[in-house]
């Protein structure tokens, strides 16, 4: 392969990924409520939940603490966090309203991780620290997808009620988690010690 072909490959992969995300968002948009229409709406929802999650995060959720890439200040964000041994799986979400407009949208906390991958997580059982990274290896993605999508906790029913139309069921919750995983940015935090 020539250098020009090698340089064009990541752009092609990104274009295919963006179209896949946009298509999934279009397919799922009618099932979702219009609560989260922008990144700003997600920030508001997280800000409302943050004090409660800092006191005692529900099972399957937590607060990620990153270092601001520009300010160097501590930043906190409520996230779905599924622990398996010394790994915690997270996904940077793209709600349909956001994904339709910008399928490559990235949140501030993910950009902070790219700049400095050392993070702290406040999860059920205490605060842990580790190194976060985006997942790309197919076997790791499969392991993460199973953990993230197939795990259902009590709080997920309330979360499903906020995001999807109709009565929350286990099937709807796992479908919502699969949508998030497939259209979002999956990460793993490898815990220290």
């Amino acid at each position: 392969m020539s250098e020009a072909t090698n340089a064009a490959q990541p752009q092609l992969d990104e274009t295919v990924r963006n179209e896949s995300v946009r298509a999934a968002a279009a397919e799922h948009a009618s099932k979702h409520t219009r609560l989260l229409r922008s990144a700003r709406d997600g920030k508001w929802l997280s800000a409302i939940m943050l004090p409660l999650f800092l006191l005692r995060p529900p099972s399957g959720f937590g607060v990620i603490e990153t270092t601001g890439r520009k300010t160097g200040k501590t930043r906190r964000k409520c996230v779905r966090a599924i622990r398996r041994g010394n790994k915690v799986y997270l996904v940077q979400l793209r709600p349909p309203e956001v994904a339709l407009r910008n399928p490559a949208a990235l949140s501030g906390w993910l950009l902070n991780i790219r700049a400095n991958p050392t993070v702290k997580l406040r999860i059920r059982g205490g605060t842990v620290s580790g190194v976060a990274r985006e997942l790309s290896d197919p076997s790791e993605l499969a392991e993460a997808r199973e953990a993230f999508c197939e795990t259902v906790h009590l709080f997920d029913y309330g979360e499903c009620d906020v995001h999807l139309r109709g009565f929350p069921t286990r099937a709807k919750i796992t479908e919502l988690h699969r949508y998030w995983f497939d259209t979002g940015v999956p990460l793993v935090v490898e815990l220290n010690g």
Side-chain angles (χ1 to χ4, degrees):
M1 260 190 205
S2 71
E3 284 185 36
T5 305
N6 286 337
Q9 188 62 37
Q11 282 183 319
L12 180 61
D13 291 346
E14 188 66 24
T15 301
V16 170
R17 169 82 174 139
N18 288 346
E19 287 309 311
S20 172
V21 168
R22 188 174 275 128
E27 179 185 335
H28 286 263
S30 65
K31 300 173 189 174
H32 288 248
T33 64
R34 294 180 51 95
L35 175 69
L36 299 177
R37 288 179 244 168
S38 69
R40 187 172 5 110
D41 295 338
K43 288 179 187 177
W44 283 102
L45 185 59
S46 184
I48 291 167
M49 296 183 316
L50 187 60
L52 301 172
F53 279 34
L54 284 171
L55 285 174
R56 184 171 183 192
S59 293
F61 290 83
V63 176
I64 190 164
E65 190 174 292
T66 62
T67 303
R69 64 196 176 283
K70 295 177 186 174
T71 65
K73 294 181 180 179
T74 298
R75 303 292 185 202
R76 292 184 182 103
K77 175 77 175 164
C78 295
V79 292
R80 186 159 195 277
I82 304 298
R83 185 173 184 173
R84 293 288 187 267
N86 67 341
K87 296 179 180 180
V88 179
Y89 297 105
L90 316 168
V91 174
Q92 182 242 284
L93 309 179
R94 291 187 182 118
E97 291 283 331
V98 174
L100 286 169
R101 283 193 311 273
N102 183 3
L106 298 176
S107 63
W109 66 269
L110 178 58
L111 295 172
N112 290 343
I113 286 172
R114 286 180 174 178
N116 180 357
T118 302
V119 299
K120 287 185 182 177
L121 274 171
R122 171 86 170 108
I123 56 177
R124 186 60 71 88
T127 301
V128 294
S129 60
V131 177
R133 64 182 169 82
E134 295 174 49
L135 294 172
S136 59
D137 177 76
S139 64
E140 283 187 313
L141 280 167
E143 183 180 323
R145 189 175 199 276
E146 189 279 326
F148 190 86
C149 299
E150 303 306 320
T151 303
V152 176
H153 294 284
L154 184 60
F155 194 83
D156 290 322
Y157 287 86
E159 178 189 47
C160 182
D161 195 37
V162 168
H163 290 280
L164 292 180
R165 299 176 193 280
F167 190 76
T169 64
R170 184 178 184 89
K172 284 173 74 172
I173 292 167
T174 55
E175 180 184 357
L176 176 63
H177 292 166
R178 287 183 193 124
Y179 167 79
W180 282 342
F181 191 90
D182 294 341
T183 61
V185 180
L187 299 101
V188 63
V189 177
E190 298 193 26
L191 305 178
N192 300 331

